[in-house]
Structure formats: structure tokens, C-alpha cells
Amino acid sequence: MEMQQFHYDNKIVKNFLYATMLWGVVGMLVGLLLAFMFLFPNLTDGISWLSFGRLRPLHTNAVIFAFVGNAIFAGVYYSAQRLLKARMFSDVLSKINFWGWQLIIVSAALTLPLGITTSKEYAELEWPIDIAIALVWVVFGWNLIGTILKRRQRHLYVAIWFYIATFVTVAVLHIFNSLELPVSALKSYSVYAGVQDALVQWWYGHNAVAFFLTTPFLGLMYYFVPKAANRPVYSYRLSIVHFWSLIFIYIWAGPHHLLYTALPEWAQNLGTTFSIMLLMPSWGGMINGLLTLRGAWDKVRTDPVLKFMVVAITGYGMATFEGPTLSLKNVNAIAHFTDWIIAHVHVGALAWNGFLTFGMIYYLVPRLFKTKLYSLALANLHFWIGTLGIIMYALPMYVAGFTQASMWKQFNPDGTLTYGNFLETVTEIIPMYWMRAIGGTLFITGMLIMIYNVIVTIKQGSKVENELAEAPALERVTKKRTASEGWHTWLERRPIQLTILATVAILIGGIVQIVPTIMVKSNIPTIASVQPYTPLELEGRDIYIREGCVGCHSQMIRPFRSEVERYGEYSKAGEYVYDHPFLWGSKRTGPDLHRVGGKYSDNWHFNHMYDPQSTSSGSIMPRYPWLIKSELDKSQTEAKMKTMVSLGVPYSDEDIAKAQESMATQGEQIEQNLYSDPDFAKTYEADKKYAAENGEPFVEMKNREITALIAYLQRLGTDIKVEATAQN
């Protein structure tokens, strides 16, 4: 049989590995800064682009798309070439994939701290960057599928199945969740509103975890664990069941993020049902991974690569057991909006994604540079420090979550809330936040040790950017399935059919859940008293989005006695019909705000934003002094309203024509309300006099950003004319 010689492209793998380590450190350092902000709220006092609300999405985007994303590309580009016995389809496409992805990451690092955000979880980037993501992702898929088609290995190994499913599903999720109408070059509104937006977002958000943080890493597990252990995969049949059941079931589970919300009951129940079913394929994958190590456990004691991978697979098993458990309504009623969810997410992120990436790096670097790892001792030290970091991060967050849930729901014998002041629950868990910060510090320390180890290893190695390989050419065979060939064996040599079937499998769940919610009007009962936001309230809502307030405050009161007593009447689906995007939130670091309108005076809100501790002793909310000083940009208000009209919000032509007048009138009323406070009036007049004497511009309070934000906050939850029954 004639052998063909060719070269593997190692340079692209190295580039993605370097990017993985660089962005991993950046993303985790931002996360550590955020952890310390819970302890020192004004750590970045007065610097708007370093505020918690703006940095939180930067952290999540950096660790998911920069750290994990680059690790996926590194692992796929290395393993796919060797599994397919072919160089990547196009070096040009590889380079576009690499540099395009890095430019997207830099764009995120610039825009998110500036408050340029859609506010949608894991999809915060604005529309021009969304388009760039789609294009670069298509380049990646083009390169992968092109390589598959020119392969020299007929059989498509299980890792390739997962890579194909990842490409297809992420493309579908990203495109449909990112449908938005632009207002300007850096501002857009989601085409979906309220309940529909929430469903599409968590169909995307849950499956971003499934198909960006899970399926590609399962593919990497199926390649690197057998390679590192020098053992075949435990069960080929189990890998088939694992793959097809996982990609079919996972896509249905998104609604479990929205239990007890205004989402239709049938959609919630579907999400719960499939989430419970998800346990079986998830654990099937974990079992297949761990049992691959049969006969190689003695090697685990000495090989840091296997150590990292064993803990990674174990972390995957823990997270995928906990996920279905959290989808049970009685468990979700306790865990949702608490730090339990933070613990759950980070067990998956730090152990599964982090440790599998570290194991992959320790495996790849010596092979890419034809040398031995500089120090096994440092690698083992990294393993133990990292493991301790995960434990010290996760366990305190579980305790914090249980504490929050318990305190929120306790009642006195007379029927009043035992902890009526939300801040009592915050101060109680501060020690847990200290432990989390220490755990995060340990985890990053371990990563820095790894980077030192890798740098020294690279220096003592040699560059082999084009690695020589050889394999026999792929002979043509019949397209039909032969009598001796199993159905799946036949499918494994038909990449186009495999891709089509995978696409069908992932589309079914999304179509069944999303189409009826959008098309059947009875799913979202309307409320006659619910009206569109005034122009000033619309501007205030955009400021709320810009500052990332949704990261700490929910706008969804669930139908529990404890929540109705604390916040007011539970939330209704019809209240959100003009919300583009929805702002229900997923974490309560502060109280729910859906019924905050009219609960406090304008002066209270003003003082609360200027110095939260002055109105709420013990608050860990940071100050927002720039809102007090900054002039409100009203230049795009009419354009925003016209875009909303295109989305179905019933602004009339007269409403749009009188937008500036409306904002001035509502702003003047808020200014008068603020001026009624003698202390405010005295300071305000002094500022005005100082500006006049020094020839400096003075912005009337009615034209400042804080006024628009107050207008929005005072509107929240007032459309159905139900007041809260308890103060916070």
C-alpha cells in the first residue's frame, strides 16, 4: 500500500495554546478582582469602567470564550489532524480563525468595561461583534469539515462526532439568540421581548454550557485520556449512546433556569423532564472516561496529566449530577438566585474545563517542542494547589447559598419575615466570600506555576512547526451500507450524513419549545394597564443595562409566600411585553427590584447611587458617582423609540416627535422632588454657583443620567398597581 507523506500544522496549535494561557490569566485575575469587590465594594471607587457591573461580563466572556475557547481550538486542531491523518484543510483559514478570535476577544475587552453590552448572559457583546463571531465560527467549521472530507482515515473517531456537533449547534444557538435590531453602531435591542426573550436566552445560555463548555471537551476527553493513559476507550457502544442521547436531550433543558418564573408552565415542565433525563448520558460519558483508565491507575499516581484529567472527569460527573438535581422544582426553589448556583457553575468551570485544559497543556507542550516537561514536581504542585483552590472556592459558596435560601424564607410566629432586611443575609455570608477569594487566589497561583513550567520547557525544546507524518491514501468504497457493516459504522464514514443527523437532533428540542412560545399568544397573557416606557424611562433602562445592574438584582418575583411578603405581588408574564431585552437576572446579591417603583423617594435613590452605605448600612453595593455628574445623552432617543416600534412597541409618531419635551417634563419633576430635600438643595445651589463663578458648564439635574435611572426605577412594577407589602 502506497504511503503518502504530509505535515501536521503544529504552529496553529502552539498559537492557540499561548492564547489559552494568556487569556486564562487575564480572565481569572478579573474574576479575582470581582471576588474582592464583595469584600471591598469601593475597591475601584469612581472608575466607571472598573465597576463590578461592567467587569462581571468581562470575566465570564474571558474565561468562557477566551480561555476555554482557545483551549478548544488548540485541542481540536491538534487531535483532528492526527485522527483524520491530514493537515488542516487550509492554513489561511487556520490563521483567520486564530487572529479573528483574538480580535473578537480584544473587542470584548474594550467594549464591556465601557458599558457597551446587550446584558444577555454569555451573549453580552453587541451586534457588530456578534457578526464577527459568526463569521469566524464559520471559518472554523469550514476548516474542520474540509479536513474531514480530505482525510486519510475512513473511520470518524468519537471525538470528531463531538467536534461536528459543537460546530453546528453553537452556530445555531449564536445566530438565533443574537437576532437584534441595531439602533447605532454599538447599540441594539433584542428582537424578542420579555418571556420569549428569556426562553431564547436560556435555550442559548444553557446550551452554550452544553455545546461550548461540554461537547468539545468530551471530544478532547475521548482523545487525550486514552492517549495519556495508553489505553483504548472503555466502550465504543457506550460512546455511541453517550453522543446521540446527549446532543438530543441537552437542547431541551434550558427552561430549568426559569422555574417558578413567568415562563409558561408547560415549558418549565419540559425543561425539568429533559434535565432529569440528562443525567444518564452525562454519567455515561463520565463512566466511559474513567473506565478508560482501567489498568492504568498506577500511572495516575505519578503522571500529572492523568491527575488533572481524572479530577476533570470527576468534576464533570459532579456538575452533571447536580444540574439535574437543581432542575427539580423543590430544589430549584431553594437554590435559584443564591450562591449555590455560583458554586455549581465553578465546579464545572474550574474542575472540568480548567483541569482538562491544564492536563491537555501538560500533554501537548513536551510533544510540540520535542522535549520533556521541565518539572514534574511543579506540575504536581500545581495540581494540589489547584484542587485545594477549587474546594476552598466551591464549599463556602454552597454554605452561602444554603444560608441565603434559609434566611430569605424564614417567618416569625406572627407571620412577618424573620429577616425582613435583605442586608441581614448579605452580612451573614461575608466570611464565605473571604474563603472564596482565597480559593480563587490559590487556583490562579497554580496556573502561574504552570505557565512558568511551560515557558522553561519551551526554552529547552525545539521548534517543529511542520511535523512530518505519513498515511496511506483513502481508497474509495461503496457509498451504500454493506451487509457486514453496522448502521453506525456506516454513518461514521459518511461525515455529511452524520452532520445532518446531528443538526436534526439538536433542532427538535429548540423548535418544540421556542416556536409555540412565540407563535401562540395565549402563552403570554397581556395586561391592559401595561404601557411602554416613557422616553426618559427608556434611557434610564439603557443606563441600568450599561452598568450591569442585572448581574446583582433580579426583576422576577416568584410565587412564594416569602417573596411576595418581601417584595410584593408576584411577577406576571404580561408585564414584560415591552422589555427588549428581558432583565430577570440570575443572582440576587441585592434585593429583587420588580416592585421597587414608588417604594422609596427620588432622594433615596439619588443617595443610594451616590453612596449606598448612607442609605443601607452594611451594603456591599459600590458607589456610582459618575451617574450623578454625567450629562444624559438624548441624541439617540428618537432612534431608539423607532427601533422599538419596529419590534412591536406601540409608540405613536407623536410620542416620538415629543420625546425631548417628554424627557424635559419628567426630568423637571424628578429634579423638583430632589430639590425638596434641604440638604440636596443646598449642595445643588452651591455647585451651580461654583460653576458660574469659574466659567464651567453646569448640567441641570433634569438632564443628568441619575435622573433617567431614577425615572426607570420608579416605574418598575407599577403598571399593575400593586404595592409591596414589606420594606427591605
Side-chain angles (χ1 to χ4, degrees):
M1 186 178 291
E2 185 182 351
M3 302 295 285
Q4 293 183 346
Q5 287 195 336
F6 59 96
H7 292 86
Y8 293 133
D9 182 4
N10 285 347
K11 184 176 182 180
I12 189 66
V13 180
K14 293 174 186 176
N15 288 344
F16 277 118
L17 278 182
Y18 297 151
T20 300
M21 291 183 280
L22 170 65
W23 294 120
V25 171
V26 172
M28 291 178 199
L29 283 175
V30 174
L32 187 61
L33 174 61
L34 295 173
F36 277 104
M37 284 184 176
F38 280 82
L39 305 167
F40 307 102
N42 293 312
L43 191 61
T44 57
D45 189 24
I47 306 174
S48 61
W49 53 276
L50 288 180
S51 62
F52 180 91
R54 298 197 191 183
L55 288 182
R56 181 189 174 273
L58 179 62
H59 165 61
T60 56
N61 277 266
V63 293
I64 295 173
F65 300 109
F67 171 59
V68 173
N70 278 297
I72 291 168
F73 291 132
V76 169
Y77 274 98
Y78 181 86
S79 61
Q81 292 184 82
R82 285 149 183 84
L83 290 171
L84 299 169
K85 297 292 186 285
R87 188 181 180 90
M88 291 308 296
F89 175 67
S90 166
D91 287 5
V92 173
L93 291 179
S94 297
K95 290 174 183 175
I96 293 172
N97 185 181
F98 176 76
W99 289 110
W101 199 254
Q102 308 319 309
L103 286 172
I104 288 165
I105 294 165
V106 171
S107 299
L110 293 173
T111 56
L112 292 173
L114 293 175
I116 300 168
T117 174
T118 66
S119 85
K120 298 180 74 168
E121 195 93 17
Y122 316 137
E124 292 92 348
L125 302 178
E126 269 293 357
W127 69 270
I129 308 175
D130 281 339
I131 293 172
I133 292 170
L135 293 175
V136 173
W137 192 253
V138 167
V139 166
F140 163 64
W142 180 6
N143 210 9
L144 175 65
I145 292 172
T147 309
I148 292 171
L149 294 177
K150 74 167 194 176
R151 70 195 186 282
R152 296 179 178 84
Q153 170 64 47
R154 188 174 313 285
H155 169 78
L156 292 179
Y157 181 66
V158 56
I160 302 296
W161 315 345
F162 279 101
Y163 299 159
I164 291 171
T166 297
F167 164 64
V168 169
T169 314
V170 170
V172 170
L173 293 169
H174 174 71
I175 290 168
F176 280 95
N177 187 52
S178 299
L179 292 177
E180 51 217 356
L181 281 187
V183 176
S184 65
L186 294 172
K187 177 65 182 175
S188 65
Y189 291 122
S190 171
V191 299
Y192 314 103
V195 172
Q196 296 160 346
D197 193 40
L199 178 60
V200 173
Q201 160 57 29
W202 282 113
W203 170 74
Y204 163 87
H206 179 77
N207 291 303
V209 172
F211 289 90
F212 200 85
L213 299 178
T214 303
T215 54
F217 270 71
L218 288 169
L220 298 179
M221 177 195 80
Y222 274 116
Y223 179 81
F224 286 104
V225 171
K227 280 289 187 182
N230 197 26
R231 293 287 187 278
V233 169
Y234 170 68
S235 172
Y236 165 69
R237 286 186 177 180
L238 184 56
S239 68
I240 295 173
V241 175
H242 175 212
F243 172 74
W244 289 107
S245 57
L246 189 82
I247 68 168
F248 176 75
I249 294 172
Y250 230 133
I251 209 81
W252 295 74
H256 77 216
H257 291 263
L258 301 169
L259 300 182
Y260 291 111
T261 67
L263 188 72
E265 193 75 15
W266 65 265
Q268 295 184 40
N269 292 337
L270 262 183
T272 297
T273 301
F274 278 88
S275 297
I276 294 166
M277 292 167 60
L278 192 55
L279 176 62
M280 291 175 281
S282 297
W283 271 47
M286 178 194 71
I287 290 167
N288 218 5
L290 289 178
L291 290 184
T292 297
L293 296 170
R294 69 200 186 288
W297 284 101
D298 57 324
K299 194 176 178 184
V300 175
R301 291 187 297 107
T302 56
D303 186 354
V305 171
L306 287 178
K307 277 195 180 79
F308 278 106
M309 290 185 176
V310 165
V311 171
I313 297 168
T314 305
Y316 170 67
M318 291 169 63
T320 53
F321 174 79
E322 191 179 14
T325 303
L326 286 167
S327 72
L328 297 169
K329 281 196 165 185
N330 56 348
V331 178
N332 188 275
I334 298 168
H336 193 52
F337 289 136
T338 74
D339 282 309
W340 181 346
I341 306 303
I342 307 302
H344 166 62
V345 168
H346 283 80
V347 166
L350 299 178
W352 170 234
N353 297 117
F355 267 35
L356 195 67
T357 297
F358 297 153
M360 185 180 76
I361 291 171
Y362 282 122
Y363 176 87
L364 285 178
V365 168
R367 285 163 177 80
L368 290 172
F369 291 90
K370 307 302 177 189
T371 185
K372 288 186 177 180
L373 185 67
Y374 167 65
S375 172
L376 285 176
L378 284 178
N380 282 310
L381 177 63
H382 174 198
F383 171 79
W384 290 112
I385 289 177
T387 302
L388 183 60
I390 294 170
I391 293 169
M392 287 199 66
Y393 187 111
L395 288 182
M397 288 296 95
Y398 283 116
V399 174
F402 299 148
T403 302
Q404 287 168 314
S406 174
M407 293 179 73
W408 291 348
K409 293 177 180 292
Q410 286 186 40
F411 283 86
N412 294 315
D414 64 357
T416 58
L417 288 164
T418 304
Y419 302 100
N421 188 337
F422 188 92
L423 276 171
E424 293 177 277
T425 67
V426 176
T427 54
E428 187 70 23
I429 58 178
I430 293 298
M432 310 307 157
Y433 288 154
W434 271 107
M435 293 180 71
R436 171 175 66 175
I438 294 169
T441 302
L442 286 172
F443 195 85
I444 293 175
T445 301
M447 190 171 182
L448 292 174
I449 291 171
M450 178 193 74
I451 289 173
Y452 171 76
N453 206 356
V454 165
I455 289 172
V456 179
T457 302
I458 290 171
K459 284 184 176 179
Q460 70 184 19
S462 58
K463 275 188 179 182
V464 183
E465 294 186 343
N466 293 287
E467 183 179 343
L468 183 64
E470 62 178 18
L474 191 65
E475 295 181 4
R476 288 190 174 275
V477 296
T478 177
K479 293 182 179 180
K480 294 181 180 179
R481 180 182 157 199
T482 61
S484 61
E485 198 172 26
W487 176 82
H488 207 274
T489 307
W490 171 81
L491 188 62
E492 286 162 26
R493 63 178 176 86
R494 310 300 301 157
I496 302 301
Q497 285 87 337
L498 179 66
T499 303
I500 292 170
L501 285 176
T503 305
V504 171
I506 63 97
L507 285 176
I508 294 171
I511 291 170
V512 171
Q513 289 176 340
I514 293 170
V515 171
T517 308
I518 293 175
M519 302 299 291
V520 181
K521 291 186 177 181
S522 61
N523 279 309
I524 318 293
T526 55
I527 301 172
S529 59
V530 174
Q531 298 297 315
Y533 296 105
T534 68
L536 191 64
E537 291 161 1
L538 184 64
E539 290 289 0
R541 192 173 196 271
D542 283 342
I543 292 171
Y544 185 95
I545 289 170
R546 184 190 75 191
E547 299 303 334
C549 303
V550 70
C552 291
H553 295 280
S554 59
Q555 289 186 27
M556 174 52 62
I557 302 168
R558 298 174 295 176
F560 301 149
R561 178 190 168 203
S562 58
E563 296 204 8
V564 171
E565 183 68 24
R566 184 181 298 276
Y567 301 119
E569 179 71 7
Y570 70 90
S571 304
K572 314 292 194 299
E575 295 183 79
Y576 301 101
V577 292
Y578 302 129
D579 283 13
H580 298 267
F582 84 112
L583 294 174
W584 294 1
S586 56
K587 168 77 161 61
R588 283 180 183 154
T589 303
D592 189 278
L593 299 181
H594 194 215
R595 300 281 178 238
V596 77
K599 197 172 187 180
Y600 305 104
S601 68
D602 291 350
N603 267 298
W604 187 93
H605 284 294
F606 179 92
N607 291 325
H608 185 63
M609 298 305 296
Y610 184 71
D611 182 10
Q613 288 74 29
S614 69
T615 58
S616 309
S617 180
S619 171
I620 60 171
M621 177 176 159
R623 298 172 64 244
Y624 289 85
W626 56 91
L627 298 180
I628 311 299
K629 301 172 184 176
S630 300
E631 183 174 3
L632 177 65
D633 181 2
K634 301 179 182 179
S635 62
Q636 292 185 350
T637 306
E638 290 84 355
K640 291 177 180 180
M641 295 175 73
K642 288 176 183 176
T643 304
M644 286 293 188
V645 170
S646 300
L647 295 171
V649 180
Y651 290 120
S652 67
D653 291 341
E654 185 180 4
D655 291 334
I656 297 172
K658 293 185 175 180
Q660 299 296 329
E661 181 184 338
S662 169
M663 285 191 287
T665 301
Q666 191 173 6
E668 284 171 3
Q669 183 58 57
I670 294 172
E671 185 177 47
Q672 289 174 16
N673 294 342
L674 293 172
Y675 206 77
S676 64
D677 180 349
D679 290 335
F680 173 86
K682 186 177 179 181
T683 303
Y684 187 57
E685 287 299 327
D687 287 346
K688 188 183 292 186
K689 182 179 179 182
Y690 177 85
E693 290 175 349
N694 290 274
E696 295 180 1
F698 180 79
V699 180
E700 296 288 344
M701 186 56 63
K702 65 181 179 182
N703 294 324
R704 297 190 194 183
E705 289 187 337
I706 186 64
T707 305
L709 183 59
I710 290 172
Y712 171 64
L713 293 173
Q714 294 291 33
R715 170 66 182 276
L716 285 177
T718 59
D719 280 334
I720 63 170
K721 314 302 179 189
V722 177
E723 295 182 2
T725 58
Q727 298 291 312
N728 289 292

